[in-house]
Amino acid sequence: MQCKMCQNQAVLKERISNENLICEYKRQFRLHISLPNEKIGFYHCPKCDYSFFATEGENDISGSNEFYNALNKISWYYFSEKHEYDFAKQFIHNGDKVLEVGCGKGAFAKYIPQAQYLGLEFSTDAKKMAEENGVNVQNISIQEYAKNHSGEADVVCSFQVLEHVSNPHSFIQAKVDACRGGGVILIAVPSEDSFIQYAVNGILNMPPHHVGRFNDKCLHNIAQIFNLKLIDLYHEKVQPEHINFYKSVMFSKRFFAPKLLDSNPLRKITNRLGRFFEKIPNEAFGHTVIAVYQKL
């Protein structure tokens, strides 16, 4: 299998059952998903450290517009406030042209009133929510946008988006193309150096929701692949909404080997106990890492 980031050879780490994945989405979120009738593998690239899900036939397993519109109906899916927004706003100055890719309902726009903001978003429902709040959003891909707006943006950012993308190389290259020379590119993703790397049955970190995973090494390698300068790599602390998640995952890890999917009822009991017995070290990484790049 060819790596979707650097095109080198990737190694199969684990296979997951499509049937079990479909059942878990139905059980946890009452979502009915469809997947290609092919086995899904979890791959890792030893060259660039990118990890990703793919089928043997390389069919697209990322979520559709209908899938994300269904997720939009879950009250907590689009947070209006995120710690990463507070961190990111320091790189945006008065009058900057800011392009947010995969902007959801455009919540980041209210953090940067001094900027000229434009959001790109596939979900039609999210675009409607953004427009209700007076946020300028277009239903267009970054690849399409960059063709006609090369080098126009001072800042190009994406928060919790890259992990959803089945072709990350094309996506990042388009972000680079849309940014001016010397401009800033921000990428916030779930961190594979945090507790979530050990999460079992964490189906929102699997297809069709997430198809890629990133550790710090991969984020460093992205700078080399796309001729960027990495100017900051920031790990958030464990956020209040993730405290029980952290405790459950790390406590269960003491007794069971991590795997992607597991129906063992003892694991579920251990997860619940972890909320009471597991402690969070001060140095523990939270869910999200933010890479800040400068276009050379």
Side-chain angles (χ1 to χ4, degrees):
M1 176 67 66
Q2 189 179 56
C3 174
K4 310 300 181 183
M5 181 70 72
C6 70
Q7 283 74 56
N8 285 285
Q9 192 65 28
V11 178
L12 177 66
K13 304 296 289 185
E14 187 175 345
R15 290 200 185 278
I16 56 175
S17 163
N18 294 28
E19 182 179 348
N20 290 347
L21 189 55
I22 290 169
C23 288
E24 279 297 314
Y25 267 97
K26 185 176 180 180
R27 182 183 69 83
Q28 294 188 34
F29 300 108
R30 299 180 181 178
L31 288 178
H32 297 272
I33 66 170
S34 60
L35 294 167
N37 189 27
E38 289 185 88
K39 292 181 180 179
I40 296 175
F42 182 55
Y43 296 84
H44 173 256
C45 176
K47 181 71 173 179
C48 72
D49 264 309
Y50 177 58
S51 297
F52 61 97
F53 294 91
T55 65
E56 293 175 345
E58 300 194 48
N59 287 304
D60 188 5
I61 53 174
S62 58
S64 64
N65 180 52
E66 290 73 23
F67 173 74
Y68 285 105
N69 284 345
L71 284 175
N72 288 340
K73 294 179 173 59
I74 301 174
S75 59
W76 49 259
Y77 186 67
Y78 280 128
F79 282 109
S80 295
E81 298 180 4
K82 292 183 180 180
H83 179 69
E84 61 214 61
Y85 291 163
D86 277 320
F87 175 81
K89 69 183 183 182
Q90 68 181 292
F91 297 95
I92 296 167
H93 307 292
N94 187 44
D96 276 354
K97 293 182 179 179
V98 176
L99 178 67
E100 183 182 2
V101 187
C103 65
K105 62 181 182 180
F108 182 51
K110 75 174 185 179
Y111 284 77
I112 49 170
Q114 76 279 17
Q116 301 177 53
Y117 176 92
L118 172 64
L120 306 183
E121 172 60 46
F122 273 136
S123 171
T124 52
D125 283 0
K127 182 177 185 293
K128 290 177 184 176
M129 287 189 284
E131 289 175 340
E132 289 172 0
N133 292 316
V135 180
N136 186 16
V137 172
Q138 296 181 14
N139 285 137
I140 184 175
S141 72
I142 179 59
Q143 290 88 342
E144 291 180 83
Y145 181 87
K147 289 178 183 177
N148 298 315
H149 301 277
S150 178
E152 291 186 5
D154 297 295
V155 179
V156 183
C157 54
S158 58
F159 304 98
Q160 314 299 333
V161 174
L162 187 56
E163 65 274 14
H164 299 256
V165 177
S166 57
N167 188 340
H169 190 280
S170 171
F171 181 88
I172 296 173
Q173 186 60 61
K175 288 182 67 174
V176 173
D177 292 343
C179 188
R180 66 169 174 81
V184 172
I185 297 168
L186 292 119
I187 297 176
V189 288
S191 171
E192 277 293 284
D193 291 310
S194 76
F195 68 97
I196 62 169
Q197 67 178 297
Y198 305 115
V200 177
N201 298 325
I203 57 171
L204 289 184
N205 203 21
M206 288 185 270
H209 193 242
H210 290 181
V211 293
R213 296 187 178 187
F214 302 83
N215 58 22
D216 286 1
K217 288 182 180 179
C218 181
L219 294 171
H220 276 276
N221 287 329
I222 283 174
Q224 296 179 2
I225 294 169
F226 296 95
N227 192 31
L228 303 171
K229 179 182 179 182
L230 180 65
I231 57 178
D232 204 347
L233 195 62
Y234 171 78
H235 283 270
E236 68 177 13
K237 297 291 186 182
V238 178
Q239 297 299 297
E241 62 269 19
H242 294 141
I243 288 175
N244 284 338
F245 186 18
Y246 177 98
K247 290 181 175 181
S248 296
V249 167
M250 298 307 287
F251 189 72
S252 182
K253 177 178 173 287
R254 298 173 184 266
F255 305 97
F256 301 97
K259 56 192 300 189
L260 293 171
L261 293 171
D262 187 12
S263 59
N264 186 344
L266 291 178
R267 186 188 288 274
K268 296 177 183 178
I269 295 171
T270 307
N271 284 344
R272 294 190 184 102
L273 291 174
R275 299 181 180 187
F276 302 98
F277 296 107
E278 187 68 26
K279 304 297 182 183
I280 303 178
N282 289 331
E283 68 274 13
F285 285 163
H287 173 278
T288 296
V289 58
I290 306 174
V292 185
Y293 303 96
Q294 184 179 45
K295 181 176 177 178
L296 299 176

